[in-house]
Amino acid sequence: MTSRSTLATWLGGLESDRLARILEARGDAAAAPEPRSPGELADRLQRPGSVALALPQLTLPQLQVAEALAALPAPASRDALGELLGAADGETVSELEGVLEALADRALVWPDGAGKLRMADALRKTWDAPLGLEAPLRQLLAGATSDELHRMLAALGVTSPAGKAQRLAALVDHHGAPERIAAVVAEAPAETRKLLESRAWARRPGAVRFIMFGSPGIDLEPGAGWAVERGLLVQDRHRYGPARMPAEVAVALRGPGRHAPFHPVPPAMEPAPVTPREVDREASAAASAFTAGAASVLAACSADPPALLKSGGIGARELARVGKAAHAGNAVVRLTLETAYAAGLLARDGGRVAPTSAYDAWAEQEPPDRFAVLLRAWWNLRLTPTRARNEDGKALPALAGAPPRSGCVQARQGLLAAAASLPAGQGVRTASDLGALVAWYRPLADASAEEPPFAAVVGEAGLLGVLARGALSAIGVHLRTGDTEGLDIACRRLLPPATATAGIGADLTAVVAGTPSARTAALLDSVADRESGGTASVWRFSAGSVRRALDAGRTCEDITADLSAVAAGPLPQPLSYLIADTARGHGRVRVASASCVLHGDEPALLAEIAAHRGLAGLGLRQLAPTVLISRRPLPATLAALRAEGYAPVAETAEGTVRIEKDRPQRAAAAVPAPRGFRAGGSGRIATSAAEDSSRSGPGTLARRLTAARAEEQEPASPGDPVPFATDTEEVVAGRAKPCRTATSASSPTPSTPVGP
């Protein structure tokens, strides 16, 4: 029976609850149009593209069991698999059964009618040489001639029968006994023995060999000729690539009692006791600080949009400028820019990155709602924003448009799964402990040679309050399970509402505890200079900041009234004096553009300006007691006068005061905001309400398929391939290839498999 037919039969015999678990784990197979029968569902579950999507969700022991099963002849028995993995005692056997159940819940491995284990063909083909074992001797010598087989038998001292098939059978029978292989190798030259022993433990390299002008590839390695003559190594007929070692030879040389790697238990961690109250308090502080910092970063981008590099992205200089203006660290700046861009709050506008109209609506929201928007965007990001350097150590720009990496999503899912596995009331002491757990839960996740592993992802989770004191917070719990409603409730509980009042002191500072409301932040930004942000934001008033508000068209009375409305108490006398004194001197000198003309009502003041040495660069000339002309343009003249402590105002062509109010730049096109977030368990992306209304849930679809059980007809030919919905799936299936060596790379210690 084909794997498709056995899978369809197995699916048809499942209860609806078990079938619902499979549909939940393999949500892509239930996409519209929904499957109408177990056979149709089996076709979808076996597609390479669907298997490729399921692979990154597997833990280390699940990948190890799958690779071991791929190394065994199909179908394999549980006893053979247990022997290969060294599952001898009751506890290890129980753990192996648990792993097989988890693979069955994803329809990657299932039992057939005879009790043997089957696996998806696409999963078996994921490994070119599972457990480092090449193809068996019979397959490698399928193209050999009868004379070549005769020479191999003669070199081994075995009587050569007549006929190619008989000679191949005799050679396979000889190599099927490990003791005979060991005896032959013992008589080999020292150079050959060394080569064979090293090749028995090594995985076949996947390097691409370039053949030029039809010439053969590399020559045989030193000592390989003796082994090729006896069938211990098999050279490709066209001599492309190194000689390959048959699986029987590798098993014999590895020796008895060796097992494939199997680590069913996560690595041990050093626990750190922590109470739920402590986790909530730290998560609340982190989330509040990030929300306030993100608001400052986006406000700085609104005032002066960062420029893009010619090669794309925002470079280190612009990132530093934005961080200085927002009083935010580099990690907060990068994380904010990437999440805001993904959420549609920022967009490219020519050579700059500017806020969109969606940003204005976001800025008016309460802090919990602002935070939830950026958190969901972070959960779906196909990159790690704070990983500021590549593998070569070069600094990476932000918003560079790098190719998406699904391994980053898997790293976040693995991190939350690792944190959720910790006992109640326990956290971890160091980020490296969490990194080791992530590598166990998601061995195919992208660590990018970080030291310690996954340090950037762990740091981002701490910045967002997803992790606190090394434990999973309420925000992280709902994020992992995909509970949108629960996530919103947790954000509102942990993040306080926006603060609309400010404590204004006699030292000319204004302090807002928590996240300031949009109105309060805009008012203080217009009349004072922000000095710090985070859990508490601080602004400082000065003559220059008050003059900036007056230049924007505000009057002394307006500024005083607006500040009194947000102040926790009466305005301090020093601030009232500062506002009044600045307003009194504001506009005493007016600058008109003629190139340009300065005039005022006080001849003494104009004479003072004309004689001022610091203004000599303007080339001032007095035409009348109250009129001066400047050789510099109006903006330069205004800047020079203000730099020397004067407070001039500009005039329009009609002689009225020109209001200097900067209008924030907005990008014309916005990036659509994500409609949902990816749940850690199923890997399914939440869709719109209209789409969800027309799609059945896993439980409903499972009951429908159970009720529609019918006998599935075998394909016309057992060799017929599983049909593909689109050609793209064959390309997507290639994403599964990196896991060929992931299992061995993730294993803490090398171990040797027993052959199939």
Side-chain angles (χ1 to χ4, degrees), residues 319-345:
L319 291 174
R321 180 187 65 78
V322 172
K324 183 178 180 180
H327 298 279
N330 183 63
V332 173
V333 173
R334 285 180 172 272
L335 191 55
T336 299
L337 292 176
E338 295 288 359
T339 54
Y341 186 83
L345 307 181

Side-chain angles (χ1 to χ4, degrees), residues 1-23 26 38-39 41-42 45-46 78 100-120 705-706 709-710 712:
M1 296 179 67
T2 63
S3 60
R4 180 264 182 197
S5 60
T6 59
L7 178 57
T9 302
W10 179 70
L11 291 172
L14 295 179
E15 297 296 331
S16 59
D17 292 344
R18 180 71 181 275
L19 192 57
R21 292 206 302 269
I22 295 175
L23 293 171
R26 303 283 296 277
L41 178 61
L45 291 171
Q46 291 231 67
R78 277 179 161 81
L100 288 174
E101 281 296 304
L103 291 172
D105 282 343
R106 291 173 170 81
L108 296 174
V109 174
W110 62 91
D112 61 12
K116 296 294 186 70
L117 295 173
R118 298 272 186 168
M119 67 188 307
L705 290 173
T706 303
R709 289 174 185 167
E712 297 288 337

Side-chain angles (χ1 to χ4, degrees), residues 218 340 478 747:
I218 61 174
H478 296 297
S747 303

Side-chain angles (χ1 to χ4, degrees), residues 272-631:
V274 61
T275 65
R277 186 175 181 180
E278 291 173 335
V279 173
D280 281 353
R281 184 168 59 245
E282 184 165 324
S284 175
S288 299
F290 174 76
T291 304
S296 300
V297 169
L298 294 180
C301 293
S302 177
D304 188 4
L308 292 168
L309 298 171
K310 291 183 178 180
S311 58
I314 302 175
R317 182 175 299 179
E318 283 290 90
L319 291 174
R321 180 187 65 78
V322 172
K324 183 178 180 180
H327 298 279
N330 183 63
V332 173
V333 173
R334 285 180 172 272
L335 191 55
T336 299
L337 292 176
E338 295 288 359
T339 54
Y341 186 83
L345 307 181
L346 294 175
R348 287 178 170 83
D349 187 22
R352 293 182 176 271
V353 175
T356 65
S357 57
Y359 162 73
D360 298 309
W362 178 86
E364 295 294 333
Q365 293 178 331
E366 287 293 318
D369 299 322
R370 296 188 207 173
F371 174 72
V373 170
L374 300 181
L375 179 66
R376 291 187 178 104
W378 173 76
W379 184 242
N380 283 328
L381 279 180
R382 296 299 185 96
L383 73 159
T384 305
T386 58
R387 190 181 295 156
R389 296 188 179 275
N390 59 17
E391 289 80 356
D392 298 328
K394 296 181 179 179
L396 296 173
L399 300 180
R405 306 171 75 168
S406 60
C408 297
V409 178
Q410 305 307 326
R412 284 188 282 274
Q413 293 181 2
L415 173 61
L416 268 60
S421 69
L422 299 174
Q426 298 289 336
V428 296
R429 296 190 182 277
T430 63
S432 59
D433 288 342
L434 273 176
L437 276 178
V438 175
W440 189 88
Y441 277 96
R442 292 292 187 274
L444 299 183
D446 180 22
S448 290
E450 289 181 281
E451 191 59 41
F454 303 104
V457 175
V458 174
E460 290 176 7
L463 277 176
L464 294 166
V466 175
L467 289 179
R469 301 289 297 273
L472 198 63
S473 69
I475 296 173
V477 170
H478 296 297
L479 189 66
R480 176 175 178 264
T481 58
D483 184 1
T484 304
E485 183 178 353
L487 180 64
D488 292 338
I489 294 173
C491 290
R492 294 190 188 99
R493 180 173 66 84
L494 294 179
L495 275 75
T499 305
T501 59
I504 300 179
D507 59 347
L508 301 180
T509 60
V511 180
V512 177
T515 304
S517 65
R519 178 177 177 274
T520 301
L523 171 62
L524 293 176
D525 282 336
S526 68
V527 76
D529 297 315
R530 192 187 295 240
E531 287 193 338
S532 64
T535 54
S537 300
V538 180
W539 284 263
R540 183 170 295 279
F541 298 94
S542 65
S545 66
V546 174
R547 179 193 56 75
R548 186 173 65 237
L550 294 170
D551 290 341
R554 312 285 292 279
T555 65
C556 174
E557 293 75 14
D558 292 338
I559 296 174
T560 302
D562 290 343
L563 290 176
S564 298
V566 302
L571 291 184
Q573 192 176 59
L575 179 58
S576 299
Y577 285 169
L578 175 66
I579 296 173
D581 290 345
T582 305
R584 190 178 302 113
H586 188 261
R588 290 171 62 192
V589 176
R590 298 190 176 190
V591 178
S593 71
S595 230
C596 55
V597 178
L598 291 73
H599 64 96
D601 298 330
E602 303 177 37
L605 179 59
L606 270 296
E608 175 187 331
I609 293 175
H612 199 295
R613 292 184 179 180
L615 300 174
L618 296 179
L620 297 176
R621 186 162 62 94
Q622 193 164 12
L623 299 180
T626 57
V627 180
L628 297 175
I629 63 170
S630 171
R631 296 178 182 175

